[in-house]
C-alpha cells in the first residue's frame, strides 16, 4: 500500500508539473496564437488565418530588401575572395623562391617587382553580365521596351513618308551611303590582317632565334624593335589612314577601317609585349628551348575578343550556333535602330538648325535636344558591340571568358565607370600603359601614369573621329582631358551612395548631348559652307562658327 501511495504521489506531482509547464508555454505564446487556439470552440477562424497570413507576408516583404542586400554583399565578397585565391595559387610558384625567413622589407621589395606576363590578367570561364540579367523577367522587360521603341520609330517613319509621298518609302539611303565603297573596305582590311599575321610574328621569331646566339644582343634587339615600330607606324598606321582619306570613304566604312587598324596595332603590341619577357627569361635561365608560340595560337588571338595575349584561353566545349545567329541578328537590329534615330531625331533638327544664325540660346537648345538621341546611341554602341558582337565571336571561337564589360550603369564614380564600361580596352591600357609606366618611372608617379593613360585614350578617340568624319573638331578630346580627368579625381571610388550615381548619369547625359550636337553642327556646316581649295589649316578650324556667321 505504501508503495502504491508513493506511485500515485509521483504521478500526481508529474501531472501538476506538466500542467504548470503547459500554462507557462501558453503564456509565452503570442496573443494572436492564443486567440486562434481558443476561437470558435476548435473550429478554424478563417478571418484570423487570413489576417495572420497578411502579417507574415508584410514581415517577409520588410525583410526581403535587407536579405537581398546581405546576400549580394556576401556573394560579391565570396567571388572576390575566390579570384584573389586563384591569383595567389597561380603566383605561388614565384613566391616560393623566397624563403620563410625573409624579412618583411625583403618581401615588400619582392612584391614591388613587376610580375611576369602570365601573372597579369587572369582569364576564367564566365558569362556576360547581360546574359545573366536577361534571365530575370524584370530586366528582360526593359529589353522589350527598347524593342517597342524601335517599332514606334519604324511606324513613325513609315506614316510620315506615307503622308508626304502618298506611298510607303522603304529605302535606306542613309545606310547605303554610310556603308558605301565596301569592296575597298574589305580589301583594305584583308591587307591589314595579312600583314599583321606575317610581319609581327616573323619579326618576333627571327629576333628570338637570333637573340640566344647573338654576341651583340642590345644591337640585335634595337634593330628588330625599330623594324616592328616602323611596321606599326607606317604599315598599320599610315597605310589604312591614307586609303580612307584618299578614296573618300563614307563615315561608317572609315570607322571599320580605322577601328580595325587600332585593334590590330594593339593586338600586335600585346603579342610582342607578352612574349619578349619569356624569351629573355629563358635565356637568363640558360634553357635549351626558346618559348616561341605557334602560328595557330597567334591566329586565334587575332580573332579572339581580347587584347591581352595568352598561349591558351579557357574554352567552352561546344558552339551554340543559335546563340551566334541571335547575336548577329541583334547587331543588325541595332544598326536599323541607329538609322531610325538619326532619321527621326537628328537629321531634321540639325538640317534646319545649321541654316540659322548662331546664338547661345540655340546652342543650349541643341545640346538638350541631342541628349535623347545621344543616350540611345550610347546604349546601342554598348549593346551591339560590347555585348552582341564580342559574344558572337567568343561563341564561334569557344572563348569562355565573356567579361567584356561590368555593371558600369551602377557606377558612383567616373573612376569605376572607366574601369567597367569597356573591360577589353581597359585591360590593355592598364597592363601596357599604366603598369608599364609605373615600372619604368616608379610607383611614386601614379597620378602622372593615370594622366598619361587619359591623354593617350583621348588622342586615339579623337584620331578615330577626325579621320572618320573628315575634319578635326576636338570636342571629345576636351571632354576626355578636361572634364574626364577632373571627374576621375573628384568623383573617385570614395564616393558612394545613390546620389553619386545620379550625378554620374546626369553628366553622362549632358556629355552625350554636347558630342552629338557639336559634331552634327560641324558636319552640316561643312556641307553647307564648302571650300573650293581647302588648306591643311582649314581642316583644323571649326567650320560651324564661320559658316553660321556668313549665313
Amino acid at each position: 500500500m505504501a508503495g502504491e501511495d508513493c506511485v500515485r504521489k509521483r504521478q500526481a506531482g508529474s501531472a501538476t508539473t506538466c500542467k504548470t509547464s503547459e500554462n507557462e508555454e501558453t503564456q509565452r505564446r503570442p496573443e494572436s496564437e492564443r486567440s486562434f487556439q481558443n476561437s470558435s470552440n476548435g473550429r478554424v477562424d478563417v478571418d484570423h488565418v487570413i489576417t495572420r497570413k497578411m502579417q507574415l507576408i508584410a514581415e517577409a516583404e520588410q525583410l526581403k530588401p535587407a536579405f537581398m542586400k546581405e546576400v549580394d554583399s556576401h556573394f560579391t565578397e565570396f567571388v572576390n575572395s575566390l579570384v584573389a585565391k586563384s591569383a595567389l595559387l597561380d603566383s605561388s610558384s614565384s613566391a616560393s623562391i623566397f624563403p620563410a625567413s625573409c624579412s618583411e622589407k625583403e618581401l615588400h621589395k619582392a612584391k614591388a617587382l613587376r610580375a611576369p606576363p602570365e601573372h597579369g590578367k587572369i582569364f576564367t570561364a564566365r558569362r556576360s553580365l547581360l546574359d545573366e540579367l536577361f534571365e530575370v523577367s524584370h530586366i528582360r522587360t526593359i529589353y522589350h521596351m527598347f524593342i517597342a521603341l524601335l517599332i514606334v520609330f519604324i511606324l513613325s517613319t513609315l506614316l510620315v513618308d506615307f503622308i508626304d509621298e502618298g506611298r510607303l518609302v522603304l529605302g535606306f539611303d542613309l545606310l547605303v551611303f554610310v556603308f558605301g565603297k565596301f569592296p575597298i573596305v574589305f580589301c583594305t582590311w584583308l591587307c591589314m590582317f595579312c600583314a599583321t599575321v606575317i610581319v609581327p610574328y616573323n619579326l618576333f621569331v627571327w629576333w628570338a632565334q637570333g637573340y640566344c646566339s647573338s654576341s651583340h644582343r642590345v644591337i640585335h634587339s634595337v634593330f628588330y624593335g625599330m623594324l616592328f615600330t616602323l611596321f606599326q607606324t607606317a604599315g598599320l598606321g599610315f597605310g589604312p589612314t591614307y586609303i580612307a582619306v584618299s578614296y573618300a570613304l563614307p563615315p561608317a566604312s572609315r570607322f571599320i577601317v580605322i577601328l580595325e587598324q587600332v585593334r590590330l596595332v594593339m593586338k600586335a603590341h600585346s603579342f610582342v609585349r607578352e612574349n619578349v619577357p619569356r624569351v629573355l627569361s629563358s635565356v637568363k635561365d640558360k634553357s635549351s628551348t626558346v618559348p616561341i608560340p605557334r602560328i595557330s595560337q597567334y591566329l586565334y588571338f587575332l580573332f579572339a575578343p581580347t587584347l591581352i595575349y595568352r598561349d591558351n584561353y579557357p574554352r567552352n566545349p561546344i558552339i551554340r550556333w543559335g546563340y551566334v545567329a541571335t547575336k548577329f541578328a541583334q547587331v543588325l537590329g541595332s544598326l536599323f535602330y541607329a538609322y531610325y534615330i538619326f532619321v527621326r531625331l537628328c537629321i531634321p533638327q540639325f538640317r534646319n538648325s545649321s541654316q540659322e544664325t548662331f546664338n547661345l540660346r540655340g546652342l543650349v537648345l541643341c545640346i538638350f535636344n541631342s541628349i535623347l538621341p545621344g543616350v540611345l546611341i550610347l546604349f546601342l554602341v554598348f549593346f551591339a558591340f560590347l555585348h552582341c558582337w564580342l559574344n558572337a565571336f567568343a561563341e564561334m571561337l569557344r572563348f569562355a571568358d565573356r567579361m567584356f564589360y561590368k555593371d558600369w550603369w551602377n557606377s558612383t564614380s567616373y573612376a569605376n565607370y572607366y574601369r567597367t564600361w569597356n573591360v577589353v580596352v581597359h585591360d590593355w591600357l592598364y597592363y601596357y600603359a599604366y603598369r608599364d609606366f609605373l615600372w619604368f618611372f616608379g610607383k611614386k608617379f601614379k597620378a602622372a601614369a593615370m594622366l598619361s593613360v587619359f591623354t593617350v585614350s583621348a588622342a586615339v578617340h579623337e584620331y578615330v573621329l577626325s579621320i572618320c568624319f573628315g575634319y578635326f573638331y576636338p570636342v571629345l578630346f576636351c571632354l576626355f582631358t578636361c572634364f574626364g580627368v577632373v571627374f576621375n579625381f573628384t568623383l573617385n571610388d570614395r564616393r558612394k551612395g545613390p546620389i553619386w550615381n545620379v550625378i554620374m548619369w546626369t553628366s553622362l547625359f549632358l556629355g552625350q548631348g554636347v558630342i552629338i550636337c557639336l559634331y552634327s553642327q560641324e558636319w552640316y556646316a561643312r556641307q553647307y559652307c564648302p571650300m573650293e581649295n581647302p588648306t591643311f589649316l582649314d581642316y583644323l578650324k571649326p567650320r560651324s562658327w564661320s559658316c553660321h556667321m556668313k549665313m
Side-chain angles (χ1 to χ4, degrees), residues 20-219:
T20 303
S21 61
E22 287 179 1
N23 291 334
E24 292 175 355
E25 181 69 23
T26 305
Q27 293 294 328
R28 285 197 296 267
R29 289 178 183 174
E31 183 67 27
S32 57
E33 292 188 11
R34 282 185 280 159
S35 61
F36 171 75
Q37 190 178 27
N38 299 328
S39 62
S40 303
N41 293 326
R43 292 195 299 270
V44 177
D45 190 343
V46 178
D47 293 337
H48 174 77
V49 171
I50 295 175
T51 303
R52 183 59 181 161
K53 183 177 180 180
M54 296 302 294
Q55 290 176 353
L56 291 174
I57 292 175
E59 292 175 3
E61 288 295 330
Q62 291 176 356
L63 290 174
K64 185 165 69 172
F67 175 75
M68 295 301 295
K69 185 177 181 180
E70 196 71 21
V71 169
D72 180 66
S73 64
H74 283 297
F75 180 74
T76 304
E77 290 176 3
F78 170 74
V79 173
N80 292 337
S81 174
L82 191 63
V83 173
K85 288 179 180 178
S86 64
L88 288 174
L89 287 175
D90 286 341
S91 60
S92 61
S93 58
S94 61
S96 62
I97 63 174
F98 299 102
S101 59
C102 277
S103 65
E104 185 177 349
K105 185 176 181 181
E106 290 173 337
L107 289 175
H108 179 74
K109 191 180 295 185
K111 290 179 181 178
L113 295 175
R114 188 169 72 172
E118 61 269 16
H119 293 163
K121 178 178 173 61
I122 299 173
F123 290 89
T124 182
R126 48 195 164 186
R127 300 171 64 193
S128 286
L129 187 55
L130 280 187
D131 283 340
E132 296 178 346
L133 291 177
F134 282 155
E135 294 180 357
V136 181
S137 59
H138 304 289
I139 305 298
R140 198 163 55 246
T141 300
I142 300 176
Y143 171 71
H144 296 160
M145 292 165 61
F146 277 93
I147 296 177
L149 185 60
L150 173 61
I151 295 173
V152 170
F153 278 132
I154 295 173
L155 290 177
S156 172
T157 304
L158 293 178
L159 289 176
V160 170
D161 289 342
F162 183 78
I163 293 172
D164 292 342
E165 304 290 337
R167 61 185 179 86
L168 292 177
V169 181
L170 300 178
F172 297 98
D173 297 337
L174 181 61
L175 284 178
V176 174
F177 163 70
V178 297
F179 286 99
K181 301 183 180 180
F182 192 75
I184 299 176
V185 174
F186 179 75
C187 293
T188 305
W189 175 84
L190 189 62
C191 293
M192 283 193 300
F193 184 80
C194 292
T196 308
V197 171
I198 296 172
V199 177
Y201 183 80
N202 284 297
L203 285 178
F204 172 76
V205 171
W206 295 336
W207 170 82
Q209 291 175 345
Y211 183 81
C212 302
S213 57
S214 176
S215 57
H216 304 282
R217 291 177 177 175
V218 175
I219 298 176

Side-chain angles (χ1 to χ4, degrees), residues 431-478:
Y431 287 107
Y432 304 140
Y434 180 76
R435 273 180 44 169
D436 284 356
F437 186 96
L438 293 180
W439 172 75
F440 191 79
F441 292 100
K443 290 192 174 183
K444 296 180 180 179
F445 298 93
K446 287 187 177 181
M450 191 177 299
L451 187 62
S452 67
V453 170
F454 266 98
T455 305
V456 169
S457 179
V460 172
H461 279 79
E462 193 57 47
Y463 160 76
V464 171
L465 292 181
S466 299
I467 299 300
C468 295
F469 289 149
Y471 54 82
F472 178 73
Y473 197 26
V475 176
L476 189 62
F477 183 83
C478 294

Side-chain angles (χ1 to χ4, degrees), residues 35 206 251 266 363 423 485 495 514 521:
S35 61
W206 295 336
M266 296 169 77
L363 178 63
V423 174
V485 173
R495 311 296 185 182
V514 170
Q521 282 187 346

Side-chain angles (χ1 to χ4, degrees), residues 514-530:
V514 170
I515 290 172
I516 293 294
C517 172
L518 296 184
Y519 278 110
S520 298
Q521 282 187 346
E522 183 68 17
W523 172 269
Y524 276 101
R526 292 179 178 270
Q527 305 300 317
Y528 288 123
C529 303

Side-chain angles (χ1 to χ4, degrees), residues 9-25:
K9 288 179 181 178
R10 289 175 183 172
Q11 290 177 347
S14 61
T16 304
T17 306
C18 290
K19 287 180 180 180
T20 303
S21 61
E22 287 179 1
N23 291 334
E24 292 175 355
E25 181 69 23

Side-chain angles (χ1 to χ4, degrees), residues 233-473:
T233 54
L236 283 181
F238 177 76
T241 304
Y242 175 79
I243 292 175
V245 174
S246 61
Y247 283 91
L249 296 180
S253 298
R254 291 193 183 192
F255 266 108
I256 295 174
V257 172
I258 300 303
L259 290 179
E260 276 297 290
Q261 172 199 48
V262 174
R263 184 183 74 92
L264 293 175
V265 167
M266 296 169 77
K267 291 256 189 184
H269 177 84
S270 175
F271 174 76
V272 173
R273 167 63 183 80
E274 295 289 342
N275 285 287
V276 165
R278 297 167 59 186
V279 175
L280 296 178
S281 178
S282 67
V283 172
K284 184 179 180 180
D285 296 338
K286 297 181 179 180
S287 176
S288 58
T289 59
V290 180
I292 298 177
R294 300 189 304 272
I295 185 66
S296 59
Q297 294 173 324
Y298 180 53
L299 266 176
Y300 181 88
F301 166 64
L302 289 180
F303 284 105
T306 179
L307 297 174
I308 306 295
Y309 176 80
R310 294 290 182 270
D311 288 339
N312 297 290
Y313 299 93
R315 307 281 289 273
N316 288 332
I318 60 172
I319 301 175
R320 299 171 295 170
W321 290 107
Y323 180 87
V324 174
T326 300
K327 293 306 166 190
F328 280 129
Q330 289 173 336
V331 171
L332 188 62
S334 299
L335 285 177
F336 283 101
Y337 210 137
Y339 164 79
Y340 284 110
I341 289 173
F342 280 107
V343 168
R344 301 309 307 163
L345 299 179
C346 293
I347 293 178
Q349 172 188 347
F350 296 111
R351 180 180 289 166
N352 297 328
S353 65
S354 297
Q355 301 178 12
E356 300 174 357
T357 305
F358 176 79
N359 57 78
L360 182 61
R361 180 179 179 276
L363 178 63
V364 172
L365 287 177
C366 173
I367 291 175
F368 280 92
N369 290 334
S370 303
I371 287 178
L372 177 59
V375 171
L376 290 176
I377 294 297
L378 176 72
F379 290 158
L380 286 175
V381 170
F382 162 71
F383 180 74
F385 179 71
L386 291 176
H387 179 68
C388 298
W389 186 264
L390 295 184
N391 268 295
F393 274 88
E395 188 68 29
M396 289 189 294
L397 295 171
R398 296 191 292 117
F399 187 83
D401 194 341
R402 309 292 176 87
M403 196 182 69
F404 309 125
Y405 54 88
K406 298 179 184 177
D407 57 337
W408 57 270
W409 48 86
N410 291 329
S411 298
T412 56
S413 66
Y414 266 88
N416 185 69
Y417 169 75
Y418 292 139
R419 288 194 300 265
T420 55
W421 157 256
N422 188 344
V423 174
V424 179
V425 173
H426 171 265
D427 287 340
W428 193 93
L429 290 173
Y430 175 73
Y431 287 107
Y432 304 140
Y434 180 76
R435 273 180 44 169
D436 284 356
F437 186 96
L438 293 180
W439 172 75
F440 191 79
F441 292 100
K443 290 192 174 183
K444 296 180 180 179
F445 298 93
K446 287 187 177 181
M450 191 177 299
L451 187 62
S452 67
V453 170
F454 266 98
T455 305
V456 169
S457 179
V460 172
H461 279 79
E462 193 57 47
Y463 160 76
V464 171
L465 292 181
S466 299
I467 299 300
C468 295
F469 289 149
Y471 54 82
F472 178 73
Y473 197 26

Side-chain angles (χ1 to χ4, degrees), residues 519-543:
Y519 278 110
S520 298
Q521 282 187 346
E522 183 68 17
W523 172 269
Y524 276 101
R526 292 179 178 270
Q527 305 300 317
Y528 288 123
C529 303
M531 290 187 175
E532 294 183 359
N533 297 311
T535 62
F536 179 73
L537 290 178
D538 292 328
Y539 288 104
L540 301 181
K541 292 189 297 184
R543 192 81 54 86

